[in-house]
């Protein structure tokens, strides 16, 4: 396992973070969408570790988003299997399996349904190593859940619950922005010796297509990436929201504002240094996420950057997020942090 | 009872019947006794008799309302495919007998709470077609003001508590309602409906334990359509005898495609719940559509199975045969009734299409109680004032 990790790491070659954009992105591969990339990652994970298992509701036939296609046929029903409809039971079961040294890759069908399992994640998974004095751990646990708006999901198929989990020391929270990132990050999550919650932006399952290298590779956790360099303002986001932010950056450039865009990738523990370095350069920060603004993860980023960069800030930290309402049905276009809202905020921050 | 049911149906029967039908819905309460298709299977209780008291009035009522429900669901299917209904849409066709039979056995003081397959239950509780289609299309005139959608129908006046998206979450709620009913000495019961998929949720057993401990008038009804989304019951449950799952709580297995069996079971259950405490009813039913409109419904079951059930056990066909055999109407009269229903549904859809969408300001209402001193802020903590196009 260690040799495999070493080989994958060397292939990736990590230059300094400011040149982060030139990592795996230079390698070519087949164009794949998000669910195919995740599928590939799962195939590799199960292939390389005979003690890894994938289970959840409906994963046997490929899952409702086709992320687990072909796994049951290739690895057998003993390693890839369906569970009954009981999230709390599924995650609890996964924790137990992981505690015996296995890699349990749990699928929660929609992030909106993760709450019955919240107790297991917070009280059991996150604290297992700590309270047993390192005798036991459930590091092999990875929970995958599709999250985020999809255009017509309504209250219970669109939620972004990442903020709830970022408040729990002991687990990691990771969110990829694209197919290539997803494959590398998921493999890192599965092989990371800590329990991880991996949120997949469901909007991108089919919409995002990117060249994904076919071999086994990992992208390191807790390392943010500057995906667009600029000087006037730093934008921080994750997941599908980055696409929207990128559009806003392009529009802002036409008006002469140079934007630096950072993909956080890992929300817990998050890469404070990269964001700090960027804000010290630009002096302005804007955070954007789909989850409601109050208590969203943007608040944590804002507070930390304020502590570290107070004297360098030229304007208050701006948060362009979902509104403080339940995720609405017909009102979704009004609720979402759209490109124009971000552009507005960029301009008002720069002109503060 | 027949007359009161007539008035409660007044929302649905919007046009007076022509003279040709006058013999059908006149105060013809000739009692008829119907035998249920199958005997009841009981767990820890004595099953009720197979002979169900009914009347010609009720038989025709059943036919009409079930045909209306069926037509409504098929129309919703077309509307969804035409993208007028967005989001998720879970259709109930095939399961109408459960909604109808239950309504026939209870009053509007008894509460019903169900999951997301709620269009027909809402109709049975006195909802109108206009409210249904408006809500499905997200319009203001919808029962939840267009903010709930297909999965969130409610009707407070008729004690219909919805309409829930999260699987199994409605059952503890139902037991809470039953507690309130007992506390307030209302002599009413609560029917908490759930599916065979939800039967494996932990919260169900928590709710069951509490109900049994405190003798709550809660009736847990498992609408067993044999598939939890795409998973067959035998692949999800060690014991697919859902009526026995209550262990120490009595249960009854009912043929859910026979409206009279459902009516008898619900009557029996109501009495049991008021006198002794909780009981589980398992309705053996079937849905023709897939789990939702995104599910073709044919990848996990054969077309032969679906058409087999349609031929042998369709609830509307059964009532039709009874109506014809008891000489309450002719084939032609029933066909005319169906045509009228079709027109009624089309009219309701047209009316709903004309209804406006909710105002953008409605996005912020009812998050908390109005005037409670809390406001909703847009991005950057600025209040959203502009009305978007």
């Amino acid at each position: 396992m260690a040799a495999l990790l070493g080989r994958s790491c060397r292939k990736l070659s990590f230059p300094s973070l400011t040149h982060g954009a030139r990592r795996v992105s230079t390698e070519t591969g087949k164009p794949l969408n998000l669910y195919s990339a995740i599928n590939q990652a799962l195939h590799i994970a199960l292939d390389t570790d005979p003690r890894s298992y994938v289970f959840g509701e409906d994963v046997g036939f490929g899952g409702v988003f086709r992320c687990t296609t072909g796994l049951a046929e290739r690895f057998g029903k003993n390693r890839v299997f369906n569970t009954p409809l009981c999230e709390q039971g599924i995650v609890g079961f996964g924790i137990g399996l992981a505690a015996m040294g296995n890699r349990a890759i749990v699928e929660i069908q929609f992030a909106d349904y993760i709450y019955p399992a919240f107790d297991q994640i917070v009280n059991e998974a996150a604290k297992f190593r700590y309270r047993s004095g390192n005798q036991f751990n459930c590091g092999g646990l990875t929970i995958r859940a599709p999250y985020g708006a999809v255009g017509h999901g309504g209250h219970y198929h669109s939620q972004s619950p990442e903020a709830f989990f970022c408040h729990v020391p002991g687990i990691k929270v990771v969110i990829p922005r694209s197919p290539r990132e997803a494959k590398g990050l998921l493999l890192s999550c599965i092989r990371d010796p800590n329990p991880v919650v991996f949120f997949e932006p469901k909007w991108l399952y089919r919409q995002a297509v990117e060249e994904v290298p076919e071999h086994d590779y990992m992208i390191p956790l807790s390392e943010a990436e500057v995906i667009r360099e600029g000087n006037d303002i730093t934008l921080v986001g994750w997941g599908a929201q980055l696409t929207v932010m990128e559009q806003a950056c392009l529009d802002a450039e036409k008006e002469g504002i140079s934007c630096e865009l950072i993909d956080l990738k890992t929300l817990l523990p998050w890469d404070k240094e990269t964001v700090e370095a960027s804000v010290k350069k630009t002096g302005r920060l804007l955070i954007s996420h789909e989850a409601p603004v109050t208590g969203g993860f943007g608040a944590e980023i804002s507070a930390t950057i304020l502590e570290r960069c107070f004297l360098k800030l030229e304007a208050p930290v701006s948060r362009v997020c979902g509104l403080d309402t339940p995720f609405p049905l017909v009102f979704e276009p009004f609720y979402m942090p759209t490109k124009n809202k971000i552009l507005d905020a960029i301009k008002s921050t720069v002109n503060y | 009872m027949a007359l009161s049911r007539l008035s409660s149906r007044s929302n649905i029967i919007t046009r007076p019947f022509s003279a040709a039908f006058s013999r059908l819905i006149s105060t013809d309460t000739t009692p008829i006794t119907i035998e249920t298709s199958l005997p009841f299977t009981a767990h820890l209780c004595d099953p009720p008799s197979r002979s169900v008291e009914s009347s010609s009035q009720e038989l025709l009522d059943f036919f009409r309302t079930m045909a209306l429900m069926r037509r409504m669901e098929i129309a919703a299917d077309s509307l969804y495919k035409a993208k007028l209904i967005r989001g998720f849409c879970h259709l109930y066709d095939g399961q109408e007998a459960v909604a109808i039979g239950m309504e026939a056995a209870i009053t509007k003081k008894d509460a019903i709470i169900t999951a997301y397959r709620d269009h027909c239950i809402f109709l049975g509780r006195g909802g109108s077609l206009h409210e249904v289609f408006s809500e499905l299309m997200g319009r203001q005139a919808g029962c939840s003001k267009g903010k709930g959608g297909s999965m969130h129908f409610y009707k407070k006046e008729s004690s219909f508590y919805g309409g829930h998206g999260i699987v199994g979450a409605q059952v503890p709620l139902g037991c809470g309602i039953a507690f309130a009913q007992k506390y307030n000495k209302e002599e009413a019961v609560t029917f908490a409906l759930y599916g065979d998929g939800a039967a494996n949720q932990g919260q169900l057993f928590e709710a069951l334990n509490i109900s049994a401990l405190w003798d709550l008038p809660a009736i847990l009804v498992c609408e067993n359509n044999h598939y939890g989304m795409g998973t067959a019951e035998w692949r999800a449950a060690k014991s697919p005898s859902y009526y026995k799952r209550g262990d120490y709580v009595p249960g009854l297995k009912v043929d859910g495609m026979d409206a009279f069996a459902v009516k008898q079971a619900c009557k029996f259950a109501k009495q049991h719940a008021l006198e002794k405490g909780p009981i589980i009813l398992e309705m053996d039913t079937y849905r023709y559509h897939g789990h939702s409109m995104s599910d073709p419904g044919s990848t996990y079951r054969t077309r032969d199975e679906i058409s087999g059930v349609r031929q042998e056990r369709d609830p509307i066909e059964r009532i039709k045969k009874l109506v014809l055999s008891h000489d309450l109407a002719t084939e032609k009269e029933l066909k005319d009734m169906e045509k009228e229903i079709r027109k009624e549904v089309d009219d309701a859809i047209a009316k709903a299409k004309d209804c406006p969408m909710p105002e953008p300001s409605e996005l912020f209402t009812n998050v908390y109680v109005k005037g409670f001193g809390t406001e909703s802020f847009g991005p950057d903590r600025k209040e959203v004032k502009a009305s978007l196009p």
Side-chain angles (χ1 to χ4, degrees):
Chain A
M1 183 53 65
L4 195 71
L5 274 170
R7 180 162 61 83
S8 311
C9 282
R10 267 199 294 282
K11 258 195 183 153
L12 280 172
S13 75
F14 305 139
S16 71
L17 287 169
T18 49
H19 300 289
R22 278 174 238 42
R23 279 195 229 154
V24 191
S25 44
T26 49
E27 286 194 51
T28 54
K30 272 175 60 184
L32 288 182
N33 57 24
L34 187 67
Y35 76 75
S36 306
I38 288 174
N39 187 241
Q40 255 190 28
L42 290 172
H43 271 272
I44 292 173
L46 288 175
D47 205 17
T48 50
D49 185 351
R51 288 180 73 189
S52 47
Y53 309 87
V54 172
F55 51 94
E57 291 157 26
D58 298 310
V59 300
F61 79 87
V64 286
F65 291 111
R66 316 236 264 186
C67 295
T68 50
T69 332
L71 290 173
E73 287 87 340
R74 187 168 162 206
F75 298 102
K77 297 247 169 81
N78 286 332
R79 289 180 69 192
V80 180
F81 50 90
N82 289 337
T83 59
L85 216 171
C86 45
E87 287 75 19
Q88 185 168 24
I90 295 169
V91 172
F93 177 85
I95 293 171
L97 197 58
M100 300 305 288
N102 301 294
R103 294 200 195 282
I105 306 164
V106 174
E107 175 174 306
I108 298 288
Q109 198 156 82
F110 281 88
D112 313 54
Y113 311 151
I114 204 170
Y115 305 112
F118 195 64
D119 174 64
Q120 284 287 338
I121 297 171
V122 171
N123 279 330
E124 303 302 322
K127 301 175 167 67
F128 210 166
R129 193 192 288 271
Y130 188 84
R131 67 176 192 241
S132 69
N134 207 14
Q135 278 187 75
F136 287 102
N137 72 80
C138 55
L141 178 68
T142 304
I143 301 169
R144 295 178 36 244
Y147 89 104
V150 75
H152 54 267
H155 313 95
Y156 299 117
H157 295 81
S158 320
Q159 290 178 36
S160 303
E162 70 268 7
F164 295 118
F165 298 93
C166 292
H167 196 49
V168 187
I171 58 169
K172 293 196 176 181
V173 180
V174 178
I175 305 184
R177 70 166 186 274
S178 73
R180 198 210 316 266
E181 293 288 312
K183 180 175 168 181
L185 284 170
L186 183 56
L187 282 167
S188 296
C189 291
I190 292 171
R191 293 165 178 164
D192 189 277
N194 295 292
V196 182
V197 182
F198 186 78
F199 287 115
E200 302 163 0
K202 66 171 87 73
W203 201 325
L204 302 182
Y205 273 141
R206 283 169 208 264
Q207 297 273 44
V209 178
E210 202 179 19
E211 297 221 336
V212 180
E214 284 185 55
H215 58 86
D216 183 350
Y217 65 94
M218 289 167 43
I219 295 180
L221 301 183
S222 296
E223 279 187 29
E225 185 183 343
V226 178
I227 58 180
R228 188 193 162 82
E229 292 190 16
N231 295 304
D232 294 327
I233 179 172
T234 302
L235 278 78
V236 175
W238 51 87
Q241 189 63 9
L242 284 166
T243 329
V244 182
M245 292 165 89
E246 198 155 31
Q247 296 298 314
C249 290
L250 290 169
D251 277 8
E253 195 156 68
K254 293 192 191 119
E255 310 206 14
I257 303 174
S258 156
C259 304
E260 180 143 302
L261 185 56
I262 298 181
D263 176 10
L264 213 53
K265 298 197 208 187
T266 305
L267 267 64
L268 183 73
W270 63 286
D271 185 354
K272 302 178 182 160
E273 281 70 32
T274 304
V275 181
E276 184 187 343
S278 173
V279 176
K280 283 195 167 139
K281 180 173 79 167
T282 63
R284 296 176 189 88
L285 177 63
L286 183 150
I287 307 154
S288 184
H289 56 71
E290 279 174 26
V293 59
T294 300
F297 195 61
E300 155 68 23
I301 300 175
S302 175
T304 306
I305 293 300
L306 217 66
E307 272 177 358
R308 295 180 173 215
C309 312
F310 182 67
L311 290 173
K312 295 276 185 164
L313 282 171
E314 306 271 340
V317 175
S318 174
R319 288 180 293 159
V320 184
C321 308
L323 304 175
D324 284 330
T325 69
F327 198 101
L329 196 57
V330 296
F331 296 119
E332 185 170 330
F334 301 159
Y335 169 93
M336 293 290 283
T338 54
K339 179 194 81 165
N340 285 336
K341 286 187 191 175
I342 299 173
L343 193 57
D344 253 354
I346 292 176
K347 286 195 263 190
S348 67
T349 309
V350 166
N351 298 324
Y352 185 73
Chain B
M1 181 150 85
L3 285 169
S4 68
R5 226 177 312 113
L6 189 65
S7 59
S8 75
R9 292 270 183 270
S10 61
N11 284 340
I12 302 173
I13 302 177
T14 54
R15 312 159 59 113
F17 280 114
S18 66
F21 292 145
S22 57
R23 73 171 171 126
L24 300 181
I25 59 152
S26 60
T27 51
D28 187 357
T29 51
T30 329
I32 301 178
T33 314
I34 316 261
E35 283 282 300
T36 65
S37 58
L38 297 167
F40 298 101
T41 326
H43 169 71
L44 293 186
C45 63
D46 292 319
S49 124
R50 281 177 73 176
S51 306
V52 186
E53 299 286 307
S54 183
S55 68
S56 43
Q57 160 89 61
E58 186 172 65
L59 230 76
L60 287 161
D61 244 353
F62 273 18
F63 177 80
R64 193 182 200 281
T65 317
M66 283 210 275
L68 188 72
M69 289 177 176
R70 178 68 60 92
R71 188 68 223 137
M72 172 181 81
E73 295 295 71
I74 306 288
D77 178 308
S78 321
L79 285 176
Y80 191 90
K81 289 181 175 141
K83 295 220 161 147
L84 280 160
I85 299 178
R86 310 287 334 270
F88 296 85
C89 194
H90 307 85
L91 299 176
Y92 201 72
D93 53 321
Q95 298 182 214
E96 297 92 351
V98 177
I100 280 286
M102 193 179 287
E103 278 305 326
I106 60 178
T107 69
K108 291 294 189 285
K109 278 193 71 191
D110 297 308
I112 298 185
I113 188 169
T114 183
Y116 42 77
R117 213 175 289 278
D118 55 354
H119 307 165
C120 298
I121 308 250
F122 173 75
L123 211 67
R125 287 264 91 180
S128 70
L129 283 175
H130 181 56
E131 282 178 304
V132 170
F133 287 114
S134 303
E135 187 60 40
L136 286 175
M137 295 198 266
R139 310 294 165 113
Q140 274 179 17
C143 52
S144 305
K145 307 211 178 71
K147 290 169 79 167
S150 159
M151 295 201 279
H152 306 287
F153 282 19
Y154 297 84
K155 198 159 186 68
K156 192 168 176 192
E157 316 81 81
S158 327
S159 314
F160 178 48
Y161 290 87
H164 297 265
I166 300 296
V167 167
Q170 72 277 9
V171 179
L173 256 77
C175 296
I177 299 170
F179 181 88
Q181 286 172 328
K182 180 170 179 174
Y183 192 92
N184 293 325
K185 296 191 171 43
E186 283 177 22
E187 288 300 302
V189 297
T190 304
F191 286 82
L193 279 64
Y194 59 98
D196 44 295
N200 302 314
Q201 278 276 320
Q203 46 192 327
L204 238 82
F205 296 95
E206 291 183 17
L208 209 63
N209 180 51
I210 288 185
S211 307
L213 199 61
W214 297 337
D215 293 319
L216 301 181
I219 299 159
L220 271 68
V221 181
C222 178
E223 291 182 286
N224 183 9
N225 56 25
H226 307 284
Y227 295 95
M229 211 158 79
T231 305
E233 59 181 341
W234 56 270
R235 296 216 278 147
K238 177 69 179 172
S239 161
S241 306
Y242 298 101
Y243 69 105
K244 284 197 202 156
R245 291 267 209 107
D247 186 22
Y248 40 82
V249 171
L252 200 67
K253 182 161 175 174
V254 185
D255 178 5
M257 305 297 258
D258 178 357
F260 290 101
V262 174
K263 176 185 166 188
Q264 185 82 320
C266 291
K267 229 166 115 189
F268 171 78
K270 177 169 174 176
Q271 202 176 1
H272 184 283
L274 284 172
E275 288 167 13
K276 298 183 205 145
I279 182 171
I280 299 182
L281 295 179
E282 180 187 337
M283 304 286 178
D284 185 347
T285 180
Y286 200 83
R287 54 166 162 81
Y288 298 139
H289 267 89
H291 163 74
S292 71
M293 287 306 301
S294 344
D295 173 21
S298 49
T299 52
Y300 46 86
R301 49 186 192 173
T302 60
R303 287 190 202 280
D304 286 337
E305 181 188 299
I306 306 172
S307 51
V309 175
R310 217 187 259 274
Q311 270 171 345
E312 319 254 315
R313 297 176 67 202
D314 184 74
I316 301 181
E317 280 306 307
R318 170 172 292 142
I319 300 289
K320 196 172 181 181
K321 282 194 192 106
L322 283 168
V323 165
L324 293 172
S325 71
H326 280 96
D327 211 20
L328 301 174
T330 63
E331 276 262 16
K332 179 171 184 310
E333 279 168 336
L334 292 180
K335 276 243 150 41
D336 287 339
M337 209 189 266
E338 281 177 339
K339 259 196 223 127
E340 230 202 59
I341 286 170
R342 195 180 270 253
K343 174 136 200 325
E344 206 178 312
V345 167
D346 289 339
D347 285 345
I349 294 176
K351 194 166 161 215
K353 275 184 188 163
D354 280 335
C355 196
M357 290 276 203
E359 292 293 312
S361 56
E362 282 287 316
L363 171 54
F364 298 106
T365 58
N366 301 129
V367 179
Y368 294 98
V369 171
K370 199 172 185 172
F372 211 12
T374 312
E375 294 160 313
S376 251
F377 289 95
D380 280 359
R381 312 300 287 167
K382 295 185 191 96
E383 219 175 309
V384 171
K385 288 194 172 111
S387 58
L388 296 151

